[in-house]
């Protein structure tokens, strides 16, 4: 067992450093005093450049954080994950999403006996899945692809398909149905014809209530519309192939229990991405992620971008007490990125006990939130500039655009730079309303272009960052027990909505249920 970050000698040193220097650090002075600050705190990793210099830390804080990571044996934890050890301790399994993007024939990163066989299965499934994706692309009759899935079976593919529109096969429409709220599925179905639609039912477990209810309704709609050939128009992506077969879905692409839901877009769950950008594009996506894996695995901690981001996260959360991180993508097609990162960070590290079940004495995952930056500027950036609390901010910008509209991209990038500049510099004014305190932090992440490879690298960076902060907090980042209780209670409440039975319920739930009773039976 490795020490948790709060059990290392560096923890008290960091607290001391925060009191002595961190608390009063002024970014404007820090840049004036250190001409090399940008060079020191910025870094090029595969496909991704990050400037971390406009953050409220100094070299000494970073050096202590690095020592803390070494004391926690972070590299050892990283190697255990890559090797396929059972790092998901509460479920007794590996977390091997990195294997999904590992090229064939490359030496294995450890000696766990099942990994070699697993890599063969990964490539066999990938080949079959990509061949199917190409067949769908070549099938001019299929114009609409509907992904039915939720959580990790929706957020990653949805985000990536939107992000990679410039690489998308023209003439196809992609729809994502996740919500059990029938308004979503009904709205999508209204624009479809059965003969030109492919439904993808994506669920690791193939038991998730929302997905199963939507799949059932899609099957019913298909039959009611006179649809022929379920096998041609429905495909299942799941680690529970037997269950999919019970649903009459004969075309299935599988994956494995060592792929966590929120890490699954590299597996068969990525089928919508593969249909959108083609087999070669999907392989580029995997290659970008693999390049970041190799960076994470081999770069020294001080020049390891996922590690540096995680250390900054811990500094902010545990020493400065920042409650949230705002994600501001300056690219309209990264609209779903904040939602994707919410699950990645908050489902992984939103935990109050360590992997031994001991209560943690410090805060863990921040609240992740955000919107594309341009829109956010006209909504919540007011709070970032002048609100009483400081929030962490991460700007993601893309150097090249693909639209060709004169001037737009310069305006967009100028705004991204200006927001970071304004937050840091502030502006003195005698009038309180117009006063900008400044000294507000931001990280600036830059991709050269929004391509399958750069997106793959960026997402792998985020996965590893979350793994690093989770490891340092002593958390198992790969389970999600916190989602269970609500699911169970819903099963109890659903029949009560029909009957109006409130026996044994608390006063509020009973009161609300009485107002809602009978709702399920009302005619549409
Ligand atoms: O309820 C949470 C969760 O288990 C997520 O972790 C997962 O991504 C999502 O539900 C969907 O699960 P499945 O792919 O099994 O339908």
């Amino acid at each position: 067992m490795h020490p948790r970050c709060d059990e290392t000698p560096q923890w008290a040193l960091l607290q001391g450093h925060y009191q002595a220097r961190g608390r009063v650090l002024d970014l404007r002075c820090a840049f004036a005093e250190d001409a090399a600050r940008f060079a020191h705190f910025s870094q090029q990793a595969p496909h991704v450049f990050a400037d971390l210099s406009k953050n409220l830390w100094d070299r000494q804080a970073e050096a202590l954080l690095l020592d803390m990571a070494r004391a926690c044996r972070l590299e050892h934890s990283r190697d255990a994950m890559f090797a396929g050890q059972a790092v998901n301790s509460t479920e007794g399994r590996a977390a091997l999403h990195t294997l999904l993007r590992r090229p064939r024939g490359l030496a294995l990163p450890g000696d766990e006996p099942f990994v070699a066989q697993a890599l063969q299965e990964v490539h066999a499934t990938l080949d079959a899945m990509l061949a199917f994706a190409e067949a769908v692309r070549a099938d001019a009759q299929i114009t609409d692809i509907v992904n039915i899935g939720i959580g990790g079976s929706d957020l990653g593919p949805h985000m990536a398909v939107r992000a990679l529109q410039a690489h998308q096969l023209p003439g196809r429409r992609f729809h994502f149905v996740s919500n059990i709220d029938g308004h979503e599925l009904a709205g999508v179905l209204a624009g479809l014809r059965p003969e030109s639609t492919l439904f993808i039912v994506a669920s690791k477990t193939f038991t998730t209530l929302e997905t199963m209810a939507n799949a059932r309704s899609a099957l019913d709609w298909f039959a009611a519309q006179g649809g022929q050939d379920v096998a041609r128009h429905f495909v299942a992506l799941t680690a529970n192939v037997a269950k999919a077969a019970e649903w009459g879905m004969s075309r299935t692409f599988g994956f494995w229990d060592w792929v966590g839901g929120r890490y699954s877009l590299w597996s068969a769950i990525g089928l919508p991405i593969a249909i959108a950008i083609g087999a070669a594009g999907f392989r580029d996506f995997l290659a970008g992620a693999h390049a970041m894996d190799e960076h994470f695995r081999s770069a020294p901690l001080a020049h390891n971008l996922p590690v540096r981001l995680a250390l900054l996260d811990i500094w902010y959360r545990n020493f400065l007490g920042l409650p949230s991180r705002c994600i501001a993508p300056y690219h309209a097609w990264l609209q779903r990125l904040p939602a994707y990162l919410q699950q990645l960070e908050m489902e992984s590290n939103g935990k109050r006990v360590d992997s031994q079940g001991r209560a943690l004495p410090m805060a863990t995952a921040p609240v992740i939130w955000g919107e594309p930056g341009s829109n956010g500027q006209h909504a919540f950036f007011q709070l970032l500039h002048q609100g009483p609390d400081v929030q962490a901010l991460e700007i993601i910008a893309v150097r090249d655009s693909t639209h060709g509209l004169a001037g737009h991209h310069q305006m967009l990038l100028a705004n991204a730079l200006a927001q970071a500049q304004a937050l840091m510099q502030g502006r003195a004014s005698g009038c309180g309303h117009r006063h900008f305190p400044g000294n507000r932090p931001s990280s600036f992440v830059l991709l050269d272009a929004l391509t399958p490879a750069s997106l793959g690298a960026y997402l792998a960076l985020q996965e590893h960052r979350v793994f690093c902060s989770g490891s340092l907090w002593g958390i198992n980042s790969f389970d999600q027990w916190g989602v269970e209780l609500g699911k169970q209670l819903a099963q109890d409440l659903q029949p009560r909505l029909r009957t109006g039975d409130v026996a044994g319920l608390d006063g509020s739930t009973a009161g609300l249920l009485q107002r809602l009773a009978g709702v399920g039976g009302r005619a549409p």
Side-chain angles (χ1 to χ4, degrees), residues 150-153 202-206 208 211 261-262 343 347 480 483 487:
I150 196 165
S153 299
S203 174
K204 180 178 172 183
T205 54
F206 230 74
T208 303
T211 301
R262 54 195 171 274
Q343 188 198 22
E347 201 172 73
Q480 59 282 319
V483 303
K487 289 184 192 175

Side-chain angles (χ1 to χ4, degrees), residues 203-207 236-250 252-255:
S203 174
K204 180 178 172 183
T205 54
F206 230 74
T207 56
L237 315 175
T238 183
N240 190 352
V241 174
K243 195 84 185 164
E246 284 172 27
W247 276 69
M249 294 190 195
S250 50
T252 304
F253 296 99
F255 57 106

